[in-house]
């Protein structure tokens, strides 16, 4: 049987033809495809301004510049995320302040945020891990009460919603990623959604070297922008993905449903919350009962691989990486993130799978666990 990876992008022939057409067109960097991609994204986001970028990390970096984060400022975030979420804070010269996760949702524990706020706190960066949205009502109630900005790291939650409203269509600044493994991909890419039109001009400058072009052919630079623009090659992929995003999300949801039907709950693994309203099912993650197992997570992954199934790890807790230990973080500070981060694995879930694949994964987990429980 074919190897089943934990994820794989779904790209149709029409998209491949559109990319070829861009390559033949004579214009391959930012141009009409980027504009069309942004217009469609903006339409999905209730008409809010959207700027396409070359990564989700870049979207977070630009967001931090738009809210004028300064050295010494503190930014509250979760320790259980892709390290980009915290690296951008460090790179901006600010201090990441981690708040432990809720072990059920695996997202930042909103009950713990207020205790972490100090006079230096400027912003919160929540992460919708695996596409499960953080409670936006409570999040914005806390942010508004303390006059904090919010940069939603929605890298994993494109196509997810909160109480019927698409993530990105409301709230403060929102950053999406279109990395190859995300629910909507451009190979590499991302976008930022702005809350209103007031900072479009600054965002455009930050995206490309601070340049403002004048109609007479001249230009001016009054801010040090970066290099964050998306190519038309990538935007053509994104436009092809947008034609299918609703069906992708529905298919992911159906596969997740099937996991709940077929997963043997007697193995002691923790399943994700059964959220079929808001989540885009970016990942299907289980937490292994390591304390009851005779093999490590690494050995579990190796045995799954031997059965033809790819398993991912998303993610080790950020505060225990050497860079963050160097900033003073240590073991035991965020016990839920540490336990979940040690035992979490991502099982295959992508639109190209069918229900038989889900059953095959469940059978393989059962087989590996039967030989691994003490
Ligand atoms: C993917 C991801 C990012 C970064 O996106 P890139 O496009 O890879 O730069 C940031 N945060 C989270 C939670 C992610 O999953």
């Amino acid at each position: 049987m074919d190897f089943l990876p934990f994820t794989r992008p779904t790209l149709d022939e029409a998209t491949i033809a559109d990319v070829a057409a861009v390559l033949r067109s004579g214009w391959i960097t930012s141009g009409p495809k980027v504009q069309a991609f942004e217009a469609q994204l903006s339409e999905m986001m209730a008409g809010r301004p959207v700027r396409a970028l070359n990564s989700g990390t870049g979207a977070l970096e630009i967001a931090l510049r738009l809210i004028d984060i300064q050295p010494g400022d503190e930014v509250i975030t979760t320790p259980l995320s892709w390290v980009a979420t915290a690296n951008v804070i460090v790179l901006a010269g600010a201090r990441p302040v981690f708040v432990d996760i809720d072990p059920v949702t695996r997202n930042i524990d909103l009950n713990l945020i207020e205790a972490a706020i100090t006079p230096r706190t400027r912003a919160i960066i929540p992460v919708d891990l695996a596409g499960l949205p953080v409670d936006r009502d409570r999040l914005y109630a806390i942010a508004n009460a303390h006059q904090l900005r919010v940069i939603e790291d929605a890298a994993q939650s494109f196509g997810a919603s909160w109480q019927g409203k698409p993530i990105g269509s409301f709230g403060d600044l929102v950053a999406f990623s279109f990395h190859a493994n995300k629910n909507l991909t451009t190979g590499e890419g991302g976008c930022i959604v702005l809350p209103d039109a007031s900072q479009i001009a600054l965002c455009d400058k930050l995206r490309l070297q601070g340049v403002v072009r004048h109609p007479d052919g001249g230009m001016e630079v009054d801010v040090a922008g970066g290099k964050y623009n998306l190519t038309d090659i990538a935007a053509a992929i994104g436009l092809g993905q947008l034609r299918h995003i609703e069906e992708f999300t529905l298919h992911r949801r159906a596969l997740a449903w099937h996991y709940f039907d077929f997963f043997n709950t007697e193995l002691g693994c923790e399943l994700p919350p059964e959220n079929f309203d808001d989540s885009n099912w970016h990942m299907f993650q289980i937490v292994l009962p390591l304390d009851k197992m005779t093999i490590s997570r690494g050995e579990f992954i190796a045995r799954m691989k031997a059965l033809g199934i790819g398993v991912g790890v998303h993610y080790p807790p950020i505060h225990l990486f050497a860079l963050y230990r160097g900033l003073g973080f240590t073991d035991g500070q965020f016990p839920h993130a540490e336990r979940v981060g040690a035992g979490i694995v991502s099982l295959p879930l992508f639109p190209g799978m069918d229900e038989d694949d889900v059953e095959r994964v469940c059978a393989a987990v059962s087989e590996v666990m039967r030989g691994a429980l003490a």
Side-chain angles (χ1 to χ4, degrees):
M1 229 183 297
D2 285 348
F3 184 78
L4 182 69
F6 82 83
T7 193
R8 184 196 289 145
T10 303
L11 300 163
D12 62 7
E13 288 303 321
T15 303
I16 293 168
D18 290 345
V19 169
V22 171
L23 295 177
R24 291 192 183 97
S25 74
W27 190 275
I28 60 176
T29 186
S30 310
K33 294 290 179 192
V34 166
Q35 280 185 13
F37 187 42
E38 288 176 340
Q40 287 193 24
L41 291 168
S42 176
E43 204 174 306
M44 291 177 73
M45 306 300 161
R48 303 210 306 165
V50 178
R51 288 298 181 267
L53 304 168
N54 55 13
S55 75
T57 306
L60 294 169
E61 289 175 355
I62 288 179
L64 286 165
R65 292 208 50 192
L66 289 175
I67 67 168
D68 197 29
I69 285 290
Q70 295 292 326
D73 288 346
E74 294 177 359
V75 180
I76 292 174
T77 192
T78 170
L80 196 71
S81 181
W82 175 227
V83 69
T85 307
N87 280 351
V88 294
I89 300 170
V90 176
L91 272 173
R95 178 160 181 85
V97 173
F98 296 112
V99 164
D100 206 357
I101 60 162
D102 171 332
V104 174
T105 65
R106 303 163 186 167
N107 286 332
I108 194 167
D109 187 341
L110 294 165
N111 294 319
L112 303 179
I113 288 186
E114 289 194 293
I117 295 173
T118 77
R120 300 190 139 187
T121 309
R122 292 281 323 284
I124 308 171
I125 305 186
V127 175
D128 302 321
L129 191 73
L132 178 69
V134 169
D135 180 332
R136 294 297 197 271
D137 296 335
R138 290 195 59 206
L139 171 73
Y140 280 103
I142 296 166
N144 293 338
H146 297 272
Q147 287 164 346
L148 302 177
R149 296 297 300 265
V150 175
I151 298 171
E152 298 182 20
D153 181 343
Q156 302 187 5
S157 51
F158 192 90
S161 58
W162 177 253
Q163 292 179 347
K165 291 178 301 208
I167 296 300
S169 70
F170 64 99
D172 201 347
L173 293 153
V174 183
F176 289 109
S177 166
F178 304 138
H179 173 264
N181 287 349
K182 301 303 198 304
N183 283 29
L184 182 137
T185 188
T186 58
E188 296 284 357
C191 74
I192 185 169
V193 188
L194 306 176
D196 56 50
S198 63
Q199 287 195 305
I200 292 177
L202 179 57
C203 182
D204 286 345
K205 288 194 279 189
L206 293 173
R207 174 165 65 172
L208 192 61
Q209 311 295 1
V211 167
V212 176
R213 291 182 187 278
H214 295 153
D216 67 0
M219 64 175 83
E220 183 57 283
V221 177
D222 62 2
V223 59
K227 172 66 184 177
Y228 295 106
N229 58 303
L230 191 72
T231 68
D232 264 21
I233 305 169
I237 302 174
L239 286 164
Q241 294 271 289
L242 281 177
R243 293 195 287 265
H244 299 285
I245 188 65
E246 280 178 33
E247 116 207 8
F248 285 169
T249 306
L250 286 173
H251 193 67
R252 285 174 175 276
R253 192 171 301 171
L255 293 170
W257 192 277
H258 211 62
Y259 266 116
F260 285 108
D261 277 349
F262 274 80
F263 198 91
N264 180 354
T265 52
E266 268 145 44
L267 303 171
C269 300
E270 287 165 47
L271 298 185
E274 289 189 46
N275 181 308
F276 291 98
D277 296 323
D278 304 319
S279 179
N280 67 359
W281 290 100
H282 172 56
M283 296 191 279
F284 192 93
Q285 299 182 291
I286 61 169
V287 181
L288 300 172
L290 288 179
D291 53 342
K292 299 191 193 76
M293 290 168 62
T294 54
I295 62 170
S296 66
R297 174 171 63 183
E299 183 59 22
F300 172 87
I301 293 170
R303 291 187 189 182
M304 289 292 288
K305 192 173 174 194
L307 293 173
I309 289 162
V311 171
V313 172
H314 309 92
Y315 298 94
I318 296 172
H319 66 288
L320 299 182
F321 288 132
L323 172 68
Y324 292 87
R325 288 181 184 273
L327 296 175
F329 296 104
T330 128
D331 303 82
Q333 272 188 293
F334 309 108
H336 292 306
E338 289 171 29
R339 188 186 64 80
V340 171
I344 202 163
V345 291
S346 306
L347 301 179
L349 181 62
F350 57 90
M353 282 171 61
D354 58 27
E355 297 193 334
D356 288 347
D357 293 319
V358 170
E359 290 168 35
R360 193 178 139 204
V361 175
C362 292
V365 172
S366 295
E367 183 178 333
V368 172
M369 290 300 288
R370 264 200 301 277
L373 286 170

